[in-house]
Amino acid sequence: MGILDFFNRTPTPAKFARIVMQAARERGVDGPMEFDAQNFRIVLGKNDVVNLHNFYHDYCQAPRAGRDEVVAKYSHLFVRSDIPDAFDAARRNVLPVLRTRAFLQAARFAPLLDAGVKETRFAMADFSDDTALLLAYDTEHLTRVLGMEQLATWGVSLEEATAVALDNLRDLAAEKFIQISPTQFASDWNDAYDSSRLLLADLAHRVAGPRAVAMIPTRGRMLLSAARGKADLLALLQNAKAAIDQEGRRVSTLMYEFVDGRPVPFRPEDEEVACLLADLQRIALQEDYAEQKQLLEQVHEKQGVDVFVATYMLYKGEDQGVFSVATWTEDVDALLPRADKLAFVEMNDAGETRSAGVLEWERVEAAAGHLMQLDPELYPPRYRVKQFPDLASLGLQ
């Protein structure tokens, strides 16, 4: 390891937490603070928490000389300002945000793991298969995702507040896009609302024309393709993957087109594009399932529940495409992720296991779907299985 590598290496999560708490003290935060290593967050008093995942990512990505700037940028998270009780006083600071549905899942688990965390019913609407539309209150010193309780205090409906938020988004700043090729454009606001601008169809049309296809891979990036040819969509997909790899804070792995002034999922007709897009979505699901598994296991341990949470595994096929597999094991009460294929494992009288074969999910569901109970509260979806299927009925014996 060279001397420059030594001075630029990233701190451990625990050391980073100490850096953050020291910076908060220097900025005048004098209340109780405690590092929760298991959930990688700082607990402020009894009810407030600062999650460190995004903070840590940005800090580690920044050059050493720019890390103090990252700490200053996130220092507002420690300032607990109040949201005005009157909507007229707050309306100019309400903005729309698009978040992965896994974000909502993690928030739902928080009060199950910590009795001091209050359950929040978000002010939200379904947006797409992997994304939800929420509202945030945003000022220089406070950014908070809003709950329905806050809208009730203001006396406004979700529809009214969303309309105000969209108007505010239009007023934030003039168009900021970089043209990265003859047909490809990337947003360059860098104000944490780049992805939200997918909601502004007129903006997409002005930049990329009437047949624009969009992706919002991360919170800080909206990508547009002005054409729908194979090469154009492959470039769009490549740019989206690069944004996720470099920036983190994934939002959506879908492509979108604009119909009647609204963004809706776009399904590419070209087989290669469709397969590569599906691969990207499987990789995102693997990350979401891994986080969900960790949260479920923590909840089960706390509640004394004995249920196995199966892993969502990815493999490459002979065609180099990616496919997912989950394992269904005999005599094991389990939660299975929805995967492309299911691997079956038998148990003998001595408790030894034997692989009994692998089948496509659809085939298993058709023959043994009555044994697979979907949990409506979980995203990504999981199925509770308590009874092992008859393998002969599946053609495995």
Side-chain angles (χ1 to χ4, degrees), residues 79-105:
V79 180
R80 288 332 202 201
S81 304
D82 290 331
I83 298 175
D85 289 334
F87 186 58
D88 285 345
R91 62 183 298 137
R92 293 300 304 169
N93 299 106
V94 178
L95 288 164
V97 290
L98 293 170
R99 294 289 184 266
T100 174
R101 289 177 62 190
F103 166 85
L104 305 177
Q105 178 85 98

Side-chain angles (χ1 to χ4, degrees), residues 140-213:
E140 182 181 359
H141 299 296
L142 174 68
T143 302
R144 187 174 299 171
V145 177
L146 298 174
M148 291 301 295
E149 184 179 352
Q150 183 62 60
L151 299 194
T153 297
W154 285 340
V156 297
S157 67
L158 177 60
E159 292 73 18
E160 291 170 323
T162 301
V164 168
L166 288 171
D167 287 341
N168 291 340
L169 182 64
R170 287 190 180 91
D171 294 340
L172 272 186
E175 293 169 14
K176 289 187 178 181
F177 277 89
I178 298 172
Q179 187 166 4
I180 53 181
S181 78
T183 64
Q184 304 294 307
F185 302 83
S187 67
D188 195 39
W189 279 274
N190 297 308
D191 62 359
Y193 293 96
D194 289 57
S195 59
S196 297
R197 290 173 172 93
L198 177 70
L199 302 167
L200 306 178
D202 53 329
L203 170 65
H205 291 321
R206 286 197 302 273
V207 173
R211 289 175 55 79
V213 178

Side-chain angles (χ1 to χ4, degrees), residues 95-107 121-136 145-146 158 162 166 193 195-199 216 219 250-254 256 262-263 265 288 379:
L95 288 164
V97 290
L98 293 170
R99 294 289 184 266
T100 174
R101 289 177 62 190
F103 166 85
L104 305 177
Q105 178 85 98
R121 190 166 66 95
F122 287 113
M124 59 157 287
D126 289 333
F127 181 72
S128 65
D129 287 347
D130 65 354
T131 311
L133 171 61
L134 298 93
L135 298 176
V145 177
L146 298 174
L158 177 60
T162 301
L166 288 171
Y193 293 96
S195 59
S196 297
R197 290 173 172 93
L198 177 70
L199 302 167
I216 47 170
R219 297 184 191 182
R250 173 172 46 84
V251 175
S252 178
T253 53
L254 302 183
Y256 297 88
R262 298 175 62 87
D288 290 343
Y379 177 86

Side-chain angles (χ1 to χ4, degrees), residues 35-52:
F35 175 46
D36 176 1
Q38 184 175 34
N39 296 297
F40 198 34
R41 62 184 185 174
I42 292 173
V43 181
L44 306 174
K46 293 183 177 181
N47 297 317
D48 287 326
V49 298
V50 174
N51 291 306
L52 297 178

